Amino acid sequence: MAMAESDIHKGCIYLTSNQQERLVLGWDRDGRVVYCSKGKDKDKPFLNCHVRITGQKFAQRAIGKAGQVDALTPYLIANKATTVVIR
């Protein structure tokens, strides 16, 4: 079941129907959601690369919230997510 775009929040980890985890880093200038996936490295989760996608597609793929990260700065730097803007 898809969630609403308004339920997408920066710093939250969302679960997809394929049991993949996505950490929302923020939004870019065009309003697309910037996120990173958990990846396979168990020692460094969410430290691989970032992806930009429309809020509508992200909401369709996410089935629920799995957690939250308080400090996003290390993830923004590690993922080279320079397109993220404060919202």
Side-chain angles (χ1 to χ4, degrees):
M1 181 162 132
M3 54 189 269
E5 281 185 66
S6 60
D7 292 337
I8 302 170
H9 301 287
K10 179 174 67 170
C12 289
I13 300 169
Y14 294 93
L15 196 61
T16 68
S17 59
N18 294 334
Q19 302 302 308
Q20 297 173 333
E21 294 181 41
R22 308 280 191 240
L23 170 62
V24 174
L25 300 173
W27 290 262
D28 68 1
R29 290 181 192 96
D30 298 328
R32 293 179 288 191
V33 176
V34 179
Y35 73 89
C36 57
S37 60
K38 186 170 185 177
K40 295 180 182 179
D41 189 350
K42 294 182 187 210
D43 295 331
K44 298 178 183 177
F46 304 109
L47 298 178
N48 39 33
C49 66
H50 70 280
V51 177
R52 297 180 298 161
I53 190 172
T54 64
Q56 180 181 12
K57 281 194 177 185
F58 187 90
Q60 286 174 348
R61 294 177 182 171
I63 59 171
K65 192 186 294 188
Q68 186 162 348
V69 173
D70 293 326
L72 278 178
T73 304
Y75 298 101
L76 292 169
I77 294 168
N79 292 300
K80 299 177 182 149
T82 57
T83 60
V84 174
V85 294
I86 305 248
R87 197 179 202 200

